[in-house]
Each structure stands twice: as C-alpha cells, then as structure tokens.
C-alpha cells in the first residue's frame, strides 16, 4: 500500500483543523464541546500519521512474502506444498518486484504449480505490474513464459493496457503452444481484429492450435462463427473434432444443431460421445442415435428453441456416461458406459487391495473376495466382450507404476489372452502411487499433440481409474496439488477420467472425474 501523497495529507490536515475551529466557534458554549474537540484532534493525528505506517507495514509484508517464496524454491520436490503455500501469499502484493519474481520462476515452474502461478499473474491490476507483464512476460525469450502470461491475460482480463494488440503478434509465434494460448486469450478478450487471423489458424499443422479456434470464434462472433468452425468437425484430430462439437453446443443456434446432427452418423467413439453430449445439453432433447428423430425435431423447432435457464438445466443433467448409456452395445465398466473405443484401465495394486469384502451384488452373503479379485473379475469380463475394433491398455500402480504395453493394443484374441494372463498375475502389495499412474497416462496420450504419426491409434482418449485409497507415495501426494497437476496436463490432452472408488469417500476421485467430464462410482458401498 502506498503512503498518502503530501498534498492529500495537507488537505486532510487543513480540512480537519478547519472543522475543529469552525465547530468550536459555533458550539463553544456547549458543555460537550471539550470532549468533541479532543476526539477531533485525535482523529486528525491518526489521519496524518497512519498512511506511512500502513505503507511501511505493507512493504515489510511484501519483503517477508518474497523471502518465504524464495526460501521455498530451495527445497526439493518434497517441498512442493510449502512452495504452493508461499506462492499463495504473494497474491496480496501487486508490485513489479512480485511480478518479476513470478516471471523469473515461470520457465522452471513445476506443472502442479502452474495454475496457481497463472492465477497470481491474472489478478494483478497496478499499472506498473501490468506493464512488466506486457513487456517482460509476453516479450520473454522463454516460450513457456510467453504462453502462460498469455493464458493469464485471458483468465484475468486485466485493465489499462490494450492486450489484444499485444497478443495478436503471438499468433505467428515460433512455438505452437504460445500460438494456442494467444488464440484462447484473444477469444476471451473478444478482440474483434483477431477474428480473421484466428480463422486462418484453423489451418495450422498443430492440433493444439486448431482445437482452441472453435471456442475463440464463438466468443468473438457468436452464431456467425458456425460457417467457419464446422470444418473442425472433419479435422483429422479427434481432439479438434471434440472441441468443435463443444463450441457448436454452446451456441443457441439451429444451424449449429443441424451441423452436429449431420456429423453424428459419420462418427464413432469418443467424438460421437461428445456430439451426443453437446446435442443433449444444447437442446434438452434425448434422441440418442435416432437421426430421423433429430431431423424431425429440427423441422419444427422454433428459432429460440431453448431459454438460457432451460439450457442450464439440461447441462446439469447430461453427462458423457449418461449419454453413452442410451446407446446399445457399448462397453460398461462397473456400470459406467462409454462410447470410446480407445481406453486405458489403471488399477491400484497397493496392499489395501488385498482386503476382503462381501459380494457387492448381495446374491451370496457368504461369498467373500478381496478387492483385487473383484477388480480382476470385472476387467476380465469387460475385455472378453470388447470387439476387435477397440483398443486398450492396462496400467497398474502400487509403489511404482507399470504398463502392460507401450501403446494401445487392438482387442484381438491374442491380445485378449495376453491381457487375461497379465491380470491373473497381479498381487496386492506396497503403497499407493497415484502420481506416477497419472503421469504415465498423460505421457501415453501426449504423442498425438506432439505430431507423431498414427499416434491417435496408439493413444487413449478415456481412462478408467480404480483405487481404494488416498495417494501415499510418489512425487505428489497432496490432493490439491495432484488435482492441479492433472488439470494442467489435461488442459490440451482432453482425456476423460471415469473413476471407480473402492473406498467410497474419495474427494480426489470425485474432483478428477468432474474436471474431465467423467463419472465416479462406488461399487462396494
């Protein structure tokens, strides 16, 4: 906090002393005047002396917060919770020194801290801080700094500076992730001069850039964006097609609904799931894969077919698993249906999975199995029913993580036999290393965004995570940091997590499923 300028203090002194004299002249004969005059004198002293003291105190607090932040950076990975706590204290201080410290750390910032660090930058409002963000942040030689400052600008929409004009050149940045961040934030800023360059970005060779275009154009020009973004429904990347479906679903437009319906019959897997979810959330109608019913509705639907309240109510009811459940012949894992054809099954093998539980079906009260045996039984059943067109992989974790295959395997008889043998070999022992399991899942999914050929066939788009306990080992065990890590890694990967909670009370699994559009079930309750 800055001290009150001398001119202001002089004004305060003049005003208060004048008030004292004037009041004394008017009411000097009143018995209470002496007490009132004394109170006004004390008030005058407080007004004259407090601003420098407050400013000095704020400066000392800022120095202390920066000292704590720098001290936390000297700790190893185990100090991540302390770093997060120290980082959260900096939000109170909006000065160039604080912004400079944050920008300095950005190129080497841990993934789990990036959302909080961006939030810190997004809330800055002092002109000197914002000028530093503009010049040293967006102008940094580090691509990661340019990327995350651009994202922070879009998240915080800070005043005083023409951010659109400063972000526009980043659409031609050498780094694809910087270009993607610029597309996203220009859309959030609703910077209309960026419309044409963003339309052109739909032709980028990088899926990470193209997938951000549909939502940006919807924010920029609304329904007029439909003719530009519908081409995203035929993009070679499933992530771009999913992003396009979501963007079209956000428009209260019959033209957008028609585009979704016409594409429905040509898609399968995760993209079909996204199309159906967007259609149901947008219209409130549930015709599933009945294309004739959708087309009949389009012929009679009024232009304003849903009010904002109706759309909100529909969105609260719809979910990917609910939509998939209305389609016949789809895989179901512990009752969770999915239209995906490329999934990863991640299973907890920690020691607690050896605990025995009664038959969850209730059919045989005397039957007792371990949690692991129940998980093995369900996986064997599901894999046996998979058609050859589907692909899958198995990942297990306890103290360490292990993948059955380096990539997704087609559900051929030979692969099914190998998977059954793998599942039968599992035993429960050790701790619960959720972090390494998530890291491997994200690594397996990242190949396509990095431009590797045929990666879409080898990478999952849906993850089923089964566990019975809280994280107890690994680089990150703090629930908040683990969720932040997952959200940051998944920001461009777009994996959907369906979670099976064998303990029945996992806040972590509920949040992980919710932030990815998935579902959590508790079959042993």
């Amino acid at each position: 906090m800055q001290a009150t300028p001398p001119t202001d203090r002089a004004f305060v002194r003049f005003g208060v002393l004048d008030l004292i004299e004037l009041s004394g002249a008017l009411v000097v004969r009143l018995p209470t005047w002496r007490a009132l005059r004394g109170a006004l004198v004390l008030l005058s002293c407080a007004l004259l002396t407090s601003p420098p003291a407050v400013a000095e105190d704020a400066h000392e607090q800022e120095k202390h917060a920066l000292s704590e932040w720098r001290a936390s950076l000297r700790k190893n990975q185990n100090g991540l919770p302390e770093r997060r706590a120290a980082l959260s204290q900096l939000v109170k201080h909006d000065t160039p020194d604080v912004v400079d410290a944050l920008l300095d750390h950005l190129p080497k910032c841990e993934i789990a801290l990036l959302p909080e660090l961006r939030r810190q930058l997004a809330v800055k409002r002092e002109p000197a801080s914002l000028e530093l963000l503009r010049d040293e942040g967006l102008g940094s030689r580090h691509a990661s700094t340019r990327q995350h400052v651009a994202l922070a600008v879009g998240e915080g929409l800070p005043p005083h500076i023409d951010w659109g004009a400063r972000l526009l050149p980043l659409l031609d940045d050498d780094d694809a992730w910087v270009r993607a961040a610029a597309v996203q934030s220009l859309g959030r800023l609703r910077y209309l001069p960026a419309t044409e360059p963003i339309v052109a970005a739909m032709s980028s060779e990088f899926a990470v850039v193209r997938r951000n275009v549909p939502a940006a154009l919807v924010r920029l020009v609304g329904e007029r964006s439909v003719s530009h973004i519908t081409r995203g429904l035929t993009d070679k990347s499933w992530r771009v097609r999913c992003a396009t479906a979501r963007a079209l679903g956000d428009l209260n437009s019959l033209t957008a609904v028609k585009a979704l319906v016409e594409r429905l019959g040509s898609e399968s897997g995760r993209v079909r799931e996204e199309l159906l979810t967007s259609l149901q959330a947008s219209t409130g109608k549930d015709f599933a894969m009945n294309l004739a019913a959708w087309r009949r509705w389009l012929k009679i639907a009024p232009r304003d077919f849903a009010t904002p309240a109706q759309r909100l109510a529909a969105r609260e009811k719809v979910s990917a698993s609910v939509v998939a459940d209305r389609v016949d012949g789809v895989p179901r894992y512990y009752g969770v249906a999915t239209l995906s054809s490329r999934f990863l099954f991640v299973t907890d093998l920690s020691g607690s999975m050896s605990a025995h539980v009664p038959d969850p079906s209730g059919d045989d009260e005397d039957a007792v199995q371990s949690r692991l045996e129940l998980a093995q039984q369900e996986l064997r059943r599901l894999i046996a029913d998979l058609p050859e067109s589907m692909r899958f992989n198995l990942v297990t974790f306890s103290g360490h993580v292990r993948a059955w295959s380096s990539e997704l395997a087609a559900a051929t008889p030979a692969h099914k036999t190998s998977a059954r043998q793998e599942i039968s070999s599992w035993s429960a022992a050790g701790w619960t290393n959720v972090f390494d399991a998530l890291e491997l899942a994200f690594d397996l999914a990242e190949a396509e965004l990095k431009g590797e050929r045929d990666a879409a066939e080898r990478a999952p788009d849906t993850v089923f995570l089964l566990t019975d306990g809280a994280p107890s080992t690994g680089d990150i065990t703090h629930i908040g940091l683990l969720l932040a890590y997952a959200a940051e890694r998944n920001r461009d990967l777009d994996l959907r997590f369906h979670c099976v909670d064998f303990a029945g009370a996992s806040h972590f699994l509920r949040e992980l499923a919710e932030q990815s559009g998935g579902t959590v079930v508790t079959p042993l309750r």
Side-chain angles (χ1 to χ4, degrees):
M1 183 182 293
Q2 294 180 342
T4 307
T7 53
D8 293 343
R9 291 169 61 195
F11 174 79
V12 169
R13 181 169 60 249
F14 175 80
V16 172
L17 293 179
D18 261 16
L19 177 61
I20 292 170
E21 295 305 320
L22 179 61
S23 301
L26 291 174
V27 295
V28 69
R29 291 186 176 84
L30 293 179
T32 58
W33 167 239
R34 287 185 179 179
L36 176 60
R37 182 183 178 91
L40 287 170
V41 169
L42 290 174
L43 175 61
S44 173
C45 292
L47 287 169
L48 293 175
T49 59
S50 61
V54 171
E56 184 177 345
D57 185 50
H59 182 63
E60 287 302 315
Q61 289 177 7
E62 179 191 324
K63 284 176 61 178
H64 178 71
L66 281 171
S67 176
E68 291 290 310
W69 165 243
R70 292 179 177 121
S72 74
L73 295 179
R74 293 192 287 271
K75 297 181 181 294
N76 59 18
Q77 184 73 22
N78 293 330
L80 202 55
E82 292 180 39
R83 266 197 290 290
R84 188 193 193 202
L87 180 60
S88 67
Q89 293 302 307
L90 294 177
V91 75
K92 306 171 186 176
H93 308 288
D94 189 351
T95 67
D97 285 346
V98 170
V99 171
D100 189 56
L102 296 175
L103 292 178
D104 182 63
H105 187 62
L106 253 181
K108 47 188 178 289
C109 185
E110 299 89 339
I111 293 173
L113 287 183
L114 280 171
E116 176 62 21
L117 200 152
R118 277 202 311 272
R119 185 182 76 87
Q120 296 279 343
L121 297 175
V123 298
K124 301 308 178 197
R125 291 296 182 267
E126 286 295 324
S129 299
L130 297 178
E131 287 170 8
L132 195 61
L133 276 180
R134 178 194 62 196
D135 299 335
E136 302 298 325
L138 295 180
S140 172
R141 62 187 178 88
H142 297 289
S144 60
T145 298
R146 299 195 301 276
Q147 175 195 358
H148 290 289
V149 171
L151 290 171
V153 168
E155 291 166 8
L157 307 177
H160 305 311
I161 288 173
D162 185 357
W163 293 104
R166 189 61 187 86
L167 285 169
L168 197 57
L170 295 185
L171 292 177
D172 296 318
D173 196 274
D174 291 338
D175 186 270
W177 268 261
V178 176
R179 297 200 296 275
V183 168
Q184 184 180 126
S185 291
L186 285 164
R188 287 179 172 172
L189 288 165
R190 289 175 168 77
Y191 188 68
L192 288 177
T195 303
E196 189 174 332
I198 289 178
V199 169
M202 202 67 182
S203 301
S204 169
E205 63 178 303
F206 294 97
V208 70
V209 176
R210 300 195 306 275
R211 73 177 291 274
N212 282 283
V213 170
L217 288 177
V218 166
R219 288 189 176 102
L220 285 168
V221 294
E223 190 173 351
R224 287 180 293 144
S225 66
V226 173
S227 60
H228 296 297
I229 65 178
T230 48
R231 58 189 280 206
L233 292 175
T234 58
D235 194 276
K236 61 183 179 181
S237 166
W238 67 269
R239 289 185 177 92
V240 178
R241 300 201 300 278
C242 284
T244 304
R246 287 192 293 269
L248 288 169
D250 287 339
L251 290 168
N252 190 22
S253 161
L254 287 175
T255 306
V257 172
K258 183 178 180 181
L260 292 170
V261 170
E262 293 308 314
R263 188 62 191 171
L264 195 55
S266 306
E267 283 290 358
S268 61
R270 172 69 188 278
V271 181
R272 175 179 285 184
E273 188 173 87
E274 210 70 58
L275 289 166
L276 284 171
T277 303
S278 292
L279 278 169
Q280 190 169 332
S282 174
T283 66
K285 305 301 177 183
D286 183 14
F287 300 130
M289 285 302 298
N290 189 337
L291 297 183
W294 281 113
R295 287 168 180 149
R296 284 196 299 271
W297 178 82
L298 278 168
K299 289 180 179 179
I300 62 172
R303 185 172 180 81
D304 53 345
F305 56 87
T307 66
Q310 290 170 330
R311 287 162 60 81
L312 180 61
R315 286 182 184 282
E316 289 176 348
K317 292 178 182 178
V318 71
S319 70
S321 61
V322 168
V323 165
D325 196 51
R326 294 271 286 114
V327 181
D328 295 331
V330 300
R332 286 174 171 80
Y333 185 55
Y334 280 105
V336 179
T338 177
L339 290 175
S340 171
S341 58
R342 302 195 312 275
F343 17 70
L344 188 64
F345 298 105
V346 182
T347 306
D348 182 356
L349 297 188
S350 63
S352 58
M353 288 289 288
S354 63
H356 284 75
V357 294
D359 178 11
S361 68
D363 295 336
D364 187 348
E365 295 182 0
D366 297 324
V368 175
Q369 291 178 291
S370 72
R371 291 169 173 173
L372 178 56
E373 287 170 336
L374 289 171
Q376 289 169 311
Q377 179 181 307
E378 177 71 0
L379 264 181
R380 282 192 289 259
R381 178 203 63 76
L382 175 59
I383 290 172
D385 293 339
L386 292 179
E388 289 193 27
S389 60
M390 293 191 174
R391 293 173 175 267
F392 70 98
N393 198 355
L394 306 171
V395 167
T396 56
F397 67 97
S398 51
H400 301 284
V401 65
R402 178 176 177 273
W404 165 64
S405 172
S406 61
E407 59 188 38
L408 296 182
T412 62
H415 286 150
K416 288 182 179 181
T417 299
S418 175
R420 283 195 298 270
Q421 293 170 348
E422 165 71 12
I423 293 168
S424 297
S425 72
W426 293 347
S427 60
W431 299 89
T432 309
N433 191 344
V434 177
F435 172 79
D436 280 2
L438 290 177
E439 184 178 49
L440 179 57
F442 290 129
D443 288 347
L444 291 171
E446 203 166 46
E448 185 190 4
L449 279 184
K450 291 184 175 179
E452 296 181 21
R453 294 184 62 187
D454 304 321
E457 294 301 312
R458 296 184 281 113
D461 58 32
T462 300
V463 179
F464 285 94
L465 171 62
L466 182 151
T467 183
D468 71 340
S472 60
T473 191
D475 285 351
I476 301 176
T477 57
H478 185 283
I479 296 300
L481 286 169
L482 202 55
L483 286 168
Y485 171 82
E488 187 64 20
R489 286 292 305 267
N490 206 29
R491 193 164 46 82
D492 292 313
L493 293 177
D494 212 7
L495 290 180
R496 176 159 287 145
F497 283 86
H498 296 299
C499 299
V500 181
D501 181 3
F502 266 13
S506 174
H507 166 72
F508 166 71
L509 293 180
R510 286 197 305 273
E511 289 295 317
L512 181 64
E514 183 176 331
Q515 71 186 22
S516 64
T519 299
V520 63
V521 292
T522 54
L524 300 189
R525 249 184 189 175

